[in-house]
């Protein structure tokens, strides 16, 4: 599949260097970024060439005639780039968060439907062994009904005293990080979130401009609640990026964690089952392509097979709505119903 990559900042260059080469089903025929500095850095790094690097998505589309567009730009560029691609008849894969608002995301889903095209979102945490193993346990009710979930995420960002780009974000926790956890809650539990009731705050000594810690409840219907705590500034033992999960079933407790550091982060995946006094570590499935390579592969494969991808924009509306409803809940210090956002 011929693609154009839009967005060559630090994260976009990481896609170009470490992710796209893992997916031989795609061929990058052009790149684009509105910032000259980003284009120059990508060219200097050997990730693109001057003759196929353009200052706008429109110029890249006209010059290269791709089948699809990969949007790895910052959030502000997601909707304009995706809209231009869809209006020109190209499929789109977008980095998370999908869009700055649920309304804009819905607009892109409707546009893709009207054009007979696919729009998808790279919710890459889904493509890890532990996630898929626990998803199956829940779906098959291996240990009976699931009735309670605890999810804890702990990292210490800025321990070296150096602030990075995400320290300046308005919502560095909920929008930049928790969106992964909310998507996993929906995916693993196999249910839509119905209500969120969260609080966020930031210690005076942190390097963050916005709230770096949060806690609260995420309801998936009246009989299943996830107790959620997350922190970018924890002095405790760090979790993996998917966090530490404890899931209470009728017949067992399942503890699991996923997505460690580095390109082989899947090696940190682990699922343990406690029944009575016995604890067993489960064998995990093999995931051919993990993380973002899994997202890109699912996008391409779904288009080739003529089906809606599991990470479709339509599916992602629930994760995006949960994220922005959580921001609203934290702002108002009140529960928020997801039905009002979808």
């Amino acid at each position: 599949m011929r693609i154009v990559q839009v967005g060559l900042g630090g994260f976009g260059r990481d896609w170009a260097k470490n992710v796209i080469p893992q997916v031989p089903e795609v061929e990058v025929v052009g790149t684009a970024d509105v910032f000259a500095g980003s284009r120059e850095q990508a060219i200097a790094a050997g990730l693109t060439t001057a003759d196929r690097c353009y200052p706008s998505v429109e110029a890249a589309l006209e010059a290269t005639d791709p089948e699809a567009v990969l949007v790895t730009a910052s959030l502000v560029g997601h909707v304009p780039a995706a809209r231009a691609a869809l209006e020109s008849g190209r499929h789109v894969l977008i980095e998370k968060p999908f869009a700055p608002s649920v309304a804009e995301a819905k607009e892109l889903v409707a546009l893709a439907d009207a054009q007979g095209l696919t729009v998808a979102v790279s919710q890459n945490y889904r493509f890890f062994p532990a996630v898929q193993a626990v998803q199956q346990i829940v779906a098959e009710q291996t240990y009976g009904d699931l009735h309670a979930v605890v999810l804890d995420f702990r990292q210490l960002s800025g321990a070296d005293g150096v602030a990075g780009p995400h320290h300046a974000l308005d919502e560095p926790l909920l929008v930049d990080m928790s969106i992964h956890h909310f998507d996993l809650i929906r995916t693993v539990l196999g249910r839509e979130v119905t209500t969120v009731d969260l609080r966020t705050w930031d210690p005076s000594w942190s390097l963050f401009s916005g709230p770096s810690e949060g806690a609260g409840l995420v309801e998936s219907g009246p009989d299943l609640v996830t107790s959620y705590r997350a922190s970018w500034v924890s002095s405790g033992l760090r979790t993996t990026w998917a966090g530490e999960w404890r899931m209470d079933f009728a017949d067992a407790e399942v503890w699991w964690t996923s997505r460690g550091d580095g390109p082989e982060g899947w090696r940190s995946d682990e699922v343990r089952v406690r029944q009575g006094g016995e604890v067993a570590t489960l064998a995990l499935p093999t995931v051919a392509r993990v993380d973002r390579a899994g997202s890109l592969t699912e996008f391409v494969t779904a288009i080739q097979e003529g089906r809606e991808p599991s990470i479709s924009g339509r599916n992602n509306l629930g994760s995006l709505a949960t994220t922005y409803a959580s921001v609203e809940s934290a702002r108002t210090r009140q529960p928020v119903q997801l039905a009002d956002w979808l």
Side-chain angles (χ1 to χ4, degrees):
M1 177 178 288
R2 293 164 51 85
I3 69 169
V4 159
Q5 182 187 359
V6 179
L8 298 171
F11 196 59
R13 294 194 297 274
D14 184 75
W15 264 91
K17 179 181 179 181
N18 297 314
V19 181
I20 295 173
Q22 297 181 54
V23 186
E25 292 88 351
V26 302
E27 175 191 2
V28 178
V29 295
T31 57
D33 197 298
V34 296
F35 297 105
S38 294
R39 298 196 302 272
E40 291 165 0
Q41 288 185 61
I43 293 169
L47 301 173
T48 186
T49 56
D51 63 329
R52 61 187 186 99
C53 192
Y54 302 88
S56 70
V57 60
E58 291 85 358
L61 293 174
E62 183 177 355
T64 64
D65 191 26
E67 299 167 71
V69 171
L70 170 63
V71 181
T72 57
S74 58
L75 178 56
V76 68
H78 285 192
V79 172
R83 185 185 294 117
L86 292 169
E87 288 178 343
S88 71
R90 276 79 176 196
H91 305 287
V92 180
L93 176 63
I94 308 175
E95 252 297 344
K96 64 83 192 168
F98 186 2
S101 70
V102 176
E104 290 169 289
K106 286 182 175 179
E107 173 200 332
L108 293 180
V109 171
L111 177 58
D113 286 347
Q115 295 282 74
L117 297 168
T118 293
V119 60
V121 183
S122 178
Q123 290 286 180
N124 50 305
Y125 284 29
R126 297 187 183 196
F127 299 94
F128 280 85
V131 172
Q132 297 188 6
V134 179
Q135 186 178 7
Q136 183 176 358
I137 287 171
V138 175
E140 296 181 355
Q141 295 186 300
T142 306
Y143 305 109
D145 290 336
L146 175 64
H147 59 90
V149 180
V150 176
L151 169 53
D152 198 1
F153 169 78
R154 301 180 302 274
Q155 289 284 329
L156 182 56
S157 180
D160 57 0
V162 178
H166 80 139
H167 288 93
L169 295 175
D170 291 337
E171 292 290 343
L173 180 68
L174 294 180
V175 176
D176 191 46
M177 188 66 230
S178 297
I179 187 169
H180 285 297
H181 303 139
F182 297 148
D183 186 70
L184 286 178
I185 289 171
R186 294 179 57 242
T187 301
V188 172
L189 273 54
R191 298 189 185 194
E192 291 300 330
V193 173
T194 55
T195 307
V196 291
D197 190 3
L198 290 155
R199 305 292 179 267
T200 56
W201 61 95
D202 188 53
S204 61
W205 44 263
S206 89
L207 299 179
F208 287 91
S209 299
S212 60
E213 296 190 281
L217 302 177
V218 180
E219 296 184 7
S220 302
D223 60 342
L224 183 55
V225 176
T226 298
S227 175
Y228 179 60
R229 179 184 180 274
S231 176
W232 271 125
V233 289
S234 174
S235 297
L237 185 66
R238 295 186 187 185
T239 67
T240 60
W241 294 99
E244 289 181 349
W245 296 63
R246 291 189 179 274
M247 305 175 70
D248 274 327
F249 294 82
D251 302 324
E253 179 196 61
V254 173
W255 177 97
W256 64 277
T257 190
S258 179
R259 197 178 190 271
D261 289 318
E264 293 192 336
W266 56 271
R267 294 187 182 276
S268 298
D269 280 31
E270 187 176 1
V271 179
R272 301 180 204 154
V273 178
R274 178 185 295 275
Q275 289 183 294
E278 301 296 322
V279 178
T281 299
L282 300 188
L284 300 183
T286 298
V287 178
R289 292 179 186 161
V290 299
D291 212 320
R292 286 173 285 162
S295 295
L296 182 54
T297 300
E298 168 64 7
F299 172 68
V300 174
T301 303
I303 292 170
Q304 292 173 339
E305 294 176 352
R307 60 176 174 82
E308 183 169 314
S310 61
I311 52 171
S312 70
R314 189 186 336 277
N315 178 277
N316 193 255
L317 291 175
S319 299
L320 194 71
T322 301
T323 300
Y324 291 141
S326 296
V327 172
E328 179 69 8
S329 175
R331 185 186 69 81
T332 62
R333 305 184 71 81
Q334 297 291 329
V336 174
Q337 306 292 323
L338 266 292
D340 298 333
W341 289 71
L342 290 168

